[in-house]
Amino acid sequence: TLYRLSLTSATMAVPALIFLAMNLLSFVALRRISASAFTLIQQSKIVFTAVLSRLLLNKALSMARWRALLTLLFAVLIICNQTGPSAGACAESSKEAAAQAFGLEQARTYAVGVAAVATEAALSGLSNVYFEKVLKSTTLSLWERNVQLAAYSLLIYVPMAYGAPPFSLLRGWS
């Protein structure tokens, strides 16, 4: 059984690498936006999962579900727009110009954070749909695929943890 699992495990490297990218994007996003904005934008992964399920798995959704997904997406967009930094009006003095430049830099930083978490949400949807497609196309059980995914995750994360300086692995997180 272990030999069979090792022969069929290559497909599980894809979600393991997607999870690595998602974790790295989380750090990028959380350095630039608030945790509440991150959590709200992260909810768009439901929309990405639905769209990718339609495109890759040919799953049909009712019009009521599509309306609910669009409502969720618009809510996320509205909240993003309201929680982001606002750029000031035209600057008349050097002090106002500096404040405006600082505001533009804050807006850029916020945009990078939003883009990072939106990309993470899209990758989350992709990993979910890919995993479902793999499960439906094989005779291996969910448990066996999870073992394969865990093995690839260990291959990725253990060397990263080992290479981190002592006591700094979780520094700054509570």
Side-chain angles (χ1 to χ4, degrees):
T1 301
L2 192 57
Y3 178 71
R4 181 178 63 117
L5 283 177
S6 66
L7 288 178
T8 60
S9 69
T11 56
M12 296 315 293
V14 174
L17 291 171
I18 289 174
F19 293 149
L20 172 65
M22 289 170 53
N23 288 334
L24 295 174
L25 285 168
S26 291
F27 286 109
V28 170
L30 287 169
R31 287 186 178 269
R32 290 166 174 82
I33 62 175
S34 68
S36 59
F38 176 88
T39 303
L40 289 169
I41 299 166
Q42 183 68 345
Q43 297 309 309
S44 64
K45 69 182 166 189
I46 298 168
V47 176
F48 286 114
T49 302
V51 169
L52 290 169
S53 290
R54 178 70 184 128
L55 294 174
L56 300 175
L57 300 175
N58 295 322
K59 281 193 172 181
L61 292 177
S62 67
M63 286 306 292
R65 288 188 181 181
W66 282 115
R67 281 192 303 270
L69 290 169
L70 283 174
T71 302
L72 173 65
L73 183 62
F74 286 134
V76 168
L77 292 173
I78 289 168
I79 291 169
C80 265
N81 187 40
Q82 291 181 350
T83 60
S86 59
C90 294
E92 295 184 16
S93 71
S94 63
K95 195 177 214 181
E96 289 174 352
Q100 186 178 17
F102 180 71
L104 286 174
E105 183 59 33
Q106 279 185 320
R108 281 190 204 110
T109 299
Y110 185 77
V112 168
V114 168
V117 73
T119 303
E120 180 189 348
L123 287 173
S124 175
L126 178 62
S127 68
N128 290 332
V129 171
Y130 178 84
F131 193 66
E132 182 176 344
K133 190 169 185 142
V134 167
L135 284 175
K136 288 182 175 182
S137 66
T138 185
T139 58
L140 294 177
S141 70
L142 174 63
W143 184 87
E144 291 168 321
R145 286 297 183 181
N146 278 332
V147 167
Q148 291 173 335
L149 179 59
Y152 276 107
S153 296
L154 285 172
L155 286 174
I156 292 170
Y157 290 110
V158 168
M160 289 174 66
Y162 184 73
F167 305 109
S168 70
L169 190 59
L170 300 175
R171 191 183 82 227
W173 295 92
S174 58

